Amino acid sequence: MQHDKSSKWKRISAASRALLMGAALVFPALGSSAIAKPSAPAQVPAPKRMNVLFIIADDLRVGSAFGTNEVRMPNVDALAAKGVRFTQAQTQFPLCGPSRASFLSGLRPNSVKVYDLDTSIRGNKPDLVTMPQYFRQNGYFTAAVGKLHHQGVPGTIGLPPEKDPHHDPLSWDVAYKPIGVDKEIEWDDKLINPSHFHPGIAMAWYADPSGKPHTDDLVADKTIELIQQNKDHPFFIAAGFYRPHVPEIAPKAYFDQYAKIQWQPESRPDTSGIKRKEMDQGLSVDQEREFVRGYYASMSFMDAQVGRILAGLEKSGVADRTIVVFTSDHGFNLGEHGHWEKTVLWRQSTEVPLVIYAPKARGNGKTAAQPVELVDLYQTLADMAGLPAPVGPEGHSLRPLLENPKSKAWNYPAQSQVVNGRSVRYKQWRYSEWGVNGSDGAELYDLSKDPGEYHNLARLQRYAATVARLKPMLPPPPPPSTAAKVSNEGQLYQFVPGGRQKMPASWPPVR
């Protein structure tokens, strides 16, 4: 698949590439927006220091719909076979902004106090030291390509970093926000969008036959370039892909891989007794299936870009001293329990793919099945890079599991939360409470017997002791944020390159 992608890239005409990449002559930020600090990064005479390549997808669920294995992600699979694969990794908040603020700061949502999309990572803690900032303070070159902090997708794809209220210049020596043909598709009203919702939440899709580079193509291009340019000194380079976040736009070749899929609509109702707000987009089952095809195609397209980056790392000659991380900000529901997308506390939303490859780690090639958290990444990467233990981050270093994935010493719960809901994963259990002290209900699932989370055990007396044990492990009630809200997505559209980004006339709020 990677070879197919590369050949397609080579076939793009010079005129097409000039139109896309050279548009910066008309719109200075189009193609790739960048911001850099005035002075060059410090040169650290330590050629043996470990680099970090941090790759993150957007809204990527674990596996495929309802446990099938029909999605093709050969490059992520190859990385998982090479490193340590964490099968029970949990996001701390299944929504883009809060999740990213949490793992980039190393602080839980209740500490960084980011619960929505309109609060910046430093809104409540202006003096915090982020994960990339800590590496930068220790002499590393740091770069962000694509979506690392929260960014409205697809509305603000291509937004220059200096105009992005979520961009954090203290974290990065350079930051790039590419923009590809997927934005032209949106602007030209080519999306298949049955609900007519805002593209940032709509179950919309498009199989692109143009052969022009997509934004994620450009993320991979720039990441490969930065690795090559900075291979002679320590680096922390982060590649943030935009897919498979909606709308599901991918080259037609990836849609063609999924002409027929096994996905079937949910047949088991939600019997948990918890009242939930669902956003019904009114799609027919056939339309839902087409959307899922698009999601699968976007997963495979994103995977091809991961493969290109990993090949570029190998070609650079520094793969043997580069720690590689692959993950997502949170999961994604494809109709399970009648729910689509995210912001719930079922496993399809809270579980994330997580692979860490650290050269010479004794656990490489093995699987760790213990619950772990994205908030653990800060301490883990500092530890594995040989930096002094940072003061402040709340997670735990995953080194014990990277050295021995079966380690019995790892005995930590994994917490997740959403507005009005708190959850914990511990051993085989998930326990969640809704409302103040569970006033809106509670859920208990034994995932060893009920991996789909269909049988709520919380109200059964014989599980009272289990509930009593798990309840203190929940995240505390969230303290209020006192931060001023940043500009909302619509206010930023005027700065998106091309001058064509407009707010739909009628749309539900973007989540």
Side-chain angles (χ1 to χ4, degrees):
M1 183 176 303
Q2 178 187 339
H3 299 299
D4 293 343
K5 168 68 192 67
S6 298
S7 62
K8 175 178 282 190
W9 175 263
K10 292 176 183 176
R11 290 197 301 269
I12 296 172
S13 69
S16 295
R17 296 186 66 147
L19 178 63
L20 186 77
M21 304 299 288
L25 298 175
V26 181
F27 306 110
L30 192 59
S32 178
S33 302
I35 185 169
K37 72 169 188 174
S39 58
Q43 298 297 314
V44 179
K48 297 298 183 182
R49 297 179 78 181
M50 297 299 294
N51 304 310
V52 175
L53 175 58
F54 190 94
I55 306 174
I56 182 166
D58 200 0
D59 287 20
L60 178 65
R61 65 186 272 136
V62 173
S64 178
F66 303 99
T68 68
N69 296 312
E70 60 182 329
V71 175
R72 302 172 184 90
M73 297 183 65
N75 297 292
V76 171
D77 288 349
L79 180 64
K82 183 178 180 181
V84 177
R85 180 169 64 99
F86 294 86
T87 61
Q88 297 294 332
Q90 306 289 313
T91 182
Q92 275 48 79
F93 202 120
L95 182 65
C96 300
S99 173
R100 291 166 184 265
S102 175
F103 70 73
L104 286 170
S105 68
L107 300 176
R108 299 186 181 280
N110 285 359
S111 296
V112 74
K113 297 181 183 178
V114 176
Y115 313 118
D116 57 28
L117 306 182
D118 303 320
T119 303
S120 74
I121 191 171
R122 297 185 187 275
N124 291 284
K125 289 190 172 292
D127 298 325
L128 66 79
V129 176
T130 68
M131 174 169 57
Q133 182 183 1
Y134 185 69
F135 277 81
R136 192 181 185 195
Q137 290 176 347
N138 280 274
Y140 279 65
F141 168 80
T142 62
V145 187
K147 181 175 177 177
L148 273 301
H149 302 273
H150 175 64
Q151 182 182 0
V153 177
T156 62
I157 287 178
L159 182 71
E162 66 270 17
K163 297 294 187 181
D164 185 350
H166 292 285
H167 171 61
D168 187 49
L170 293 177
S171 293
W172 310 103
D173 287 297
V174 294
Y176 296 86
K177 302 280 191 180
I179 183 169
V181 71
D182 38 301
K183 287 301 296 179
E184 294 180 17
I185 290 166
E186 177 195 345
W187 293 334
D188 291 342
D189 294 325
K190 293 181 179 179
L191 285 177
I192 300 172
N193 184 358
S195 71
H196 303 291
F197 278 21
H198 185 285
I201 57 173
M203 294 166 62
W205 65 91
Y206 183 75
D208 173 32
S210 73
K212 295 180 181 180
H214 288 234
T215 303
D216 279 354
D217 284 300
L218 302 177
V219 169
D221 287 347
K222 193 65 186 181
T223 302
I224 294 166
E225 177 186 319
L226 288 169
I227 292 170
Q228 184 65 29
Q229 290 175 346
N230 295 279
K231 64 184 181 181
D232 294 329
H233 50 78
F235 63 72
F236 184 112
I237 295 176
F241 289 116
Y242 293 89
R243 295 293 173 260
H245 193 292
V246 298
E248 307 304 344
I249 305 174
K252 183 177 181 297
Y254 294 94
F255 276 79
D256 290 345
Q257 295 180 24
Y258 300 102
K260 294 183 179 180
I261 61 174
Q262 301 170 16
W263 180 88
Q264 294 295 328
E266 176 66 277
S267 60
R268 304 176 70 174
D270 176 9
T271 59
S272 65
I274 307 298
K275 292 182 179 180
R276 309 176 204 271
K277 292 183 179 179
E278 299 293 343
M279 188 178 295
D280 183 8
Q281 298 201 17
L283 273 64
S284 69
V285 171
D286 286 342
Q287 289 171 331
E288 291 176 345
R289 184 174 290 107
E290 286 301 298
F291 171 75
V292 174
R293 278 188 66 219
Y295 186 83
Y296 290 178
S298 293
M299 291 173 72
S300 291
F301 168 61
M302 181 276 303
D303 174 81
Q305 311 319 309
V306 172
R308 293 179 57 218
I309 291 175
L310 295 178
L313 177 65
E314 289 290 339
K315 186 177 180 180
S316 74
V318 297
D320 63 340
R321 54 186 174 90
T322 300
I323 301 164
V324 180
V325 177
F326 176 81
T327 192
S328 176
D329 49 0
H330 48 72
F332 198 85
N333 277 68
L334 291 176
E336 295 90 347
H337 303 276
H339 185 85
W340 292 87
E341 303 191 21
K342 50 204 175 187
T343 65
V344 290
L345 294 174
W346 284 306
R347 62 191 299 248
Q348 292 85 7
S349 278
T350 66
E351 284 186 6
V352 295
L354 176 61
V355 179
I356 301 177
Y357 170 68
K360 300 182 181 179
R362 292 193 295 270
N364 283 339
K366 300 178 182 178
T367 296
Q370 300 90 328
V372 300
E373 303 175 289
L374 288 183
V375 78
D376 296 328
L377 290 174
Y378 191 153
Q379 292 282 15
T380 301
L381 294 177
D383 185 4
M384 299 306 290
L387 301 183
V391 177
E394 296 175 320
H396 306 277
S397 173
L398 295 168
R399 178 186 283 274
L401 296 178
L402 293 173
E403 299 297 343
N404 177 14
K406 305 297 183 183
S407 174
K408 301 296 185 182
W410 190 270
N411 193 36
Y412 300 108
Q415 298 176 340
S416 300
Q417 63 191 85
V418 293
V419 174
N420 200 46
R422 299 172 294 139
S423 186
V424 64
R425 279 280 288 108
Y426 182 69
K427 297 188 182 299
Q428 79 265 35
W429 302 103
R430 174 186 296 283
Y431 178 66
S432 304
E433 285 189 355
W434 299 88
V436 178
N437 199 31
S439 59
D440 293 336
E443 296 173 89
L444 175 68
Y445 300 104
D446 183 348
L447 299 187
S448 66
K449 300 176 181 178
D450 179 26
E453 298 173 318
Y454 289 105
H455 304 289
N456 185 5
L457 309 174
R459 290 168 291 185
L460 301 180
Q461 184 59 36
R462 64 180 180 274
Y463 291 101
T466 300
V467 169
R469 183 184 183 194
L470 296 172
K471 189 180 180 73
M473 300 182 189
L474 290 170
S481 167
T482 58
K485 300 299 184 183
V486 302
S487 300
N488 65 42
E489 182 175 316
Q491 293 170 318
L492 301 173
Y493 286 172
Q494 61 182 312
F495 304 117
V496 174
R500 299 177 63 190
Q501 190 66 39
K502 293 181 171 57
M503 186 73 71
S506 177
W507 55 287
V510 176
R511 289 185 297 163

